Amino acid sequence: MNSKNLTKVLLFIALILLVNGCGEELKKDEKAPVAIRVIKPQIKDLAERLAYLGTVHARSEVKIIAQVQGTVHALPFAEGMRMKKGDVLVRIFAPELEAAVQRLKADRDYWKQRYESDRRLLEQKAIPSEQVEASRRASTSAQSAYNEAVSRLQKTIEKSAFDGIVLKWYVEPGQHVM
C-alpha cells in the first residue's frame, strides 16, 4: 500500500477508535441495572412471637400459715385464680376446737345461771357473800374461756386481706396442718 492509502487507513482506524471511546463514556454515566424479584401479594395474619427467659416476682406476697391445728377442709381457689378481698381462701376442720367451744359454752351458761341464783339467795341472806363472789369469778372466767375458744375457732377460716392472685398452695385438702 502506498503512503496515502496508509494514512487514510490510519485516520479511519483512529476515527473508529475515537467514536468507540465516546460511546463507553456515555455508558459509564448510566447506572447498572438492578435485579428485582416480584411476588404476587397475599393476605395473611401476621403473628409476632417473643420468648424471654426470666423470673417474675409479685409486688407483694403473703404466706398464709395455719394458726390452729386441724385438717385442710377446702381450698376454694386454684393456683393462678383471682380472688377478692374478703374471699375465703382456706377452711380448716378442727373438731377439737368445735367440741371445746360447745363445752365452754355449757360451762359459761352454767356459771352465769349459778351466779344469778347465788345473787338471789344472797338477797334472801340464804348464803354467804363469799360464795356469791366465787360464783361471779367462775362466771367471768367461764365467759373469758368461751370467748378465747370462739376466737380460736374463727381462725379455722382464713380470708383474703386484699385483691390478688393465688400463686402457690403448699397444702392439699385432707392434709393435716399445725
Side-chain angles (χ1 to χ4, degrees), residues 5-22:
N5 284 341
L6 184 61
T7 306
K8 285 182 186 178
V9 171
L10 287 175
L11 277 174
F12 183 68
I13 292 173
L15 185 63
I16 289 175
L17 290 174
L18 183 65
V19 172
N20 282 340
C22 288

Side-chain angles (χ1 to χ4, degrees), residues 39-105:
I39 62 169
K40 191 173 188 176
Q42 299 175 355
I43 298 175
K44 290 184 175 181
D45 290 336
L46 181 63
E48 184 176 328
R49 293 183 185 195
L50 300 174
Y52 295 99
L53 180 62
T55 304
V56 177
H57 294 281
R59 276 184 276 158
S60 61
E61 205 173 295
V62 176
K63 292 183 179 171
I64 300 171
I65 299 171
Q67 298 179 43
V68 293
Q69 182 176 336
T71 303
V72 176
H73 183 273
L75 299 172
F77 293 93
E79 292 176 357
M81 287 181 68
R82 290 196 167 280
M83 45 85 181
K84 299 218 183 292
K85 181 178 180 178
D87 286 344
V88 174
L89 297 177
V90 64
R91 291 182 190 274
I92 297 174
F93 179 62
E96 299 85 10
L97 284 177
E98 292 172 7
V101 167
Q102 289 175 357
R103 180 181 53 80
L104 291 170
K105 182 177 187 277

